[in-house]
Amino acid sequence: MAKMKIKAKEKGGVVKVKAMFTSLMADKEESIKKGIKPEYIKYIVAKVNDAVVFEVSTSGFMSENPLVKFKFNGKSGDEITFTTIDNNEKTETGSEKIK
């Protein structure tokens, strides 16, 4: 299951976000090599005030502990919430106030 570190800072009406997710990101082929169960994040969504500001479908092709960066128009004081779903349908949620 993915753990996350989130940083979101607003400047001039633009919010810059950096989010790192802790996950092995091991697809079937890699998991066979390492002798572990396949584990990777397959979906990431970020919302602010119930509006989607970032959304991506992924697979085991991403690197271990993936880092995503993006920008959107927003304001400080709001809360950004990330939700991830892994290949085993486990869901993890994390949030952070925009500074």
Side-chain angles (χ1 to χ4, degrees):
M1 189 171 291
K3 296 179 183 174
M4 45 190 100
K5 293 180 183 178
I6 304 164
K7 291 184 181 181
K9 294 183 181 180
E10 181 267 337
K11 184 176 180 181
V14 176
V15 178
K16 291 183 181 180
V17 180
K18 291 181 186 178
M20 187 171 87
F21 305 94
T22 303
S23 175
L24 291 175
M25 298 302 287
D27 61 8
K28 185 178 180 181
E29 185 179 306
E30 187 175 353
S31 65
I32 291 170
K33 287 179 187 176
K34 292 183 175 181
I36 57 175
K37 287 178 56 175
E39 177 192 319
Y40 57 88
I41 299 168
K42 69 175 192 177
Y43 179 73
I44 302 170
V45 65
K47 294 183 179 181
V48 176
N49 300 326
D50 291 325
V52 175
V53 294
F54 179 82
E55 183 176 32
V56 65
S57 293
T58 66
S59 67
F61 73 88
M62 290 181 72
S63 65
E64 186 174 333
N65 303 326
L67 173 69
V68 296
K69 298 178 185 180
F70 62 95
K71 299 176 190 177
F72 68 95
N73 294 329
K75 61 181 181 174
S76 62
D78 285 346
E79 189 168 77
I80 186 166
T81 302
F82 279 88
T83 302
T84 62
I85 301 173
D86 72 8
N87 62 307
N88 299 311
E89 300 303 321
K90 293 181 185 172
T91 302
E92 184 76 24
T93 302
S95 59
E96 185 71 31
K97 285 238 184 232
I98 298 170
K99 296 180 181 179

